[in-house]
Amino acid sequence: MPVVVIDDVDHAVPVARALVTGGLPAIELTLRTPVALEAIRAISAEVPEILVGAGTIVAPGQAKLAADAGAQFLVSPGTTVQLLHAMQETGLPFLPGTATVSEVLAALEAGCTELKFFPAEASGGTAYLKSLASPVPTARFCPTGGITPASAPSYLALPNVGCVGGSWLTPADALAAGDWGRVTALAAEAAALR
């Protein structure tokens, strides 16, 4: 899953098209910049072949704003009760963020089985997720945070990991330079990871 930070709204559509061309049909566009919601609107309107999601949902009100902008899924780096309810109220699929066993259990109690694991590398990486597989077998994770093309396969080999997310697919320097060919090549490499 490409985790993308857009600083220039004019880059939104080209980066989404580059990812699709490279074989990645989804994008998590983070709400870390003032143009993020506008970028989601642009991608939603102009690149229908990509599933566009809003990431870095950190406040309850952002869930509705993202949904109204055209996001098709939501991702949070962590989860509070209010944030969880706000994401649920949108009716969109979402990945609530977790980093501890208690957070995983709270998300499971709320009916969520597909979870984000963040920050993955700093929170114990593959060893941590391996240790969760037996006591909480119903939880599946999308680890993000420190994942690289080299470490992604070890995560993807785990039975409780459905996908991985990373910003390495859309480096800031490639976006700033409009190097969509580089983004397409990185997406193709990522699409081939197993």
Side-chain angles (χ1 to χ4, degrees):
M1 171 74 65
V3 178
V4 183
V5 178
I6 297 287
D7 291 305
D8 181 342
V9 73
D10 291 336
H11 293 161
V13 168
V15 78
R17 287 187 176 138
L19 292 167
V20 169
T21 300
L24 296 179
I27 181 173
E28 177 190 331
L29 203 144
T30 66
L31 298 187
R32 298 181 195 171
T33 69
V35 301
L37 292 172
E38 188 179 349
I40 289 170
R41 279 188 206 90
I43 293 169
S44 180
E46 297 184 45
V47 193
E49 59 274 25
I50 198 165
L51 187 67
V52 61
T56 318
I57 303 287
V58 296
Q62 290 178 313
K64 183 173 181 347
L65 290 173
D68 290 348
Q72 296 165 288
F73 65 94
L74 307 171
V75 183
S76 67
T79 306
T80 66
V81 172
Q82 288 182 334
L83 188 58
L84 182 70
H85 290 306
M87 290 190 293
Q88 288 172 324
E89 286 176 3
T90 68
L92 295 175
F94 64 94
L95 292 174
T98 61
T100 68
V101 176
S102 294
E103 292 168 349
V104 170
L105 294 177
L108 291 172
E109 285 176 5
C112 303
T113 57
E114 306 293 323
L115 313 170
K116 177 173 179 167
F117 175 52
F118 176 82
E121 284 294 294
S123 297
T126 56
Y128 186 81
L129 287 175
K130 278 182 196 175
S131 69
L132 289 182
S134 181
V136 284
T138 57
R140 282 180 49 91
F141 298 93
C142 173
T144 68
I147 310 291
T148 67
S151 65
S154 62
Y155 281 96
L156 292 169
L158 298 175
N160 58 349
V161 170
C163 65
V164 298
S167 56
W168 83 85
L169 297 158
T170 55
D173 63 333
L175 271 59
D179 189 350
W180 312 125
R182 181 173 168 208
V183 173
T184 296
L186 290 168
E189 291 171 13
L193 291 174
R194 300 279 178 246

